[in-house]
Amino acid sequence: CHYRGAPDGKTDVLHLVNYSTRRRGVPVTVWMRKQVQSAKLWTLGSETPVAMKGKPEGNGFEYYLEPLSEYAALELFVNASR
């Protein structure tokens, strides 16, 4: 995983790499310690992202992802009040 936030603080991206020897990995749960307005999942071979619905959990949000192929990126749009 590699996490990167935009300088303006409005968007973040979590890059996910599947190092498993299986063609499709196992389901993944991502928890972010911040308030997120919306999220999109980008995958290889797809020209458009899939809207993701986060579940409030503790001080942040949890995202349940289906098994990934080689790579995916979770784009997060954070609340302006952070």
Side-chain angles (χ1 to χ4, degrees), residues 44-78:
L44 290 177
S46 177
E47 293 186 20
T48 58
V50 174
M52 299 297 297
K53 185 150 180 104
K55 174 186 164 201
E57 187 64 43
N59 312 8
F61 278 79
E62 239 174 23
Y63 293 90
Y64 301 100
L65 310 180
E66 295 294 322
L68 305 172
S69 59
E70 297 85 15
Y71 170 82
L74 185 61
E75 183 177 21
L76 304 156
F77 300 89
V78 298

Side-chain angles (χ1 to χ4, degrees), residues 16-30 41 63-72:
L16 303 154
V17 179
N18 176 11
Y19 291 103
S20 171
T21 57
R22 292 184 246 160
R23 178 158 171 78
R24 301 220 13 117
V26 295
V28 175
T29 301
V30 173
L41 184 69
Y63 293 90
Y64 301 100
L65 310 180
E66 295 294 322
L68 305 172
S69 59
E70 297 85 15
Y71 170 82

Side-chain angles (χ1 to χ4, degrees), residues 2-6 8-15 30-42 52-54 61-63 65 73-79 82:
H2 176 75
Y3 182 79
R4 180 75 180 180
D8 65 6
K10 294 180 182 178
T11 58
D12 297 340
V13 176
L14 177 65
H15 299 273
V30 173
W31 180 80
M32 303 301 296
R33 186 188 329 208
K34 54 175 60 183
Q35 298 297 312
V36 178
Q37 287 181 337
S38 63
K40 296 178 183 179
L41 184 69
W42 296 85
M52 299 297 297
K53 185 150 180 104
F61 278 79
E62 239 174 23
Y63 293 90
L65 310 180
L74 185 61
E75 183 177 21
L76 304 156
F77 300 89
V78 298
N79 286 341
R82 76 172 189 150

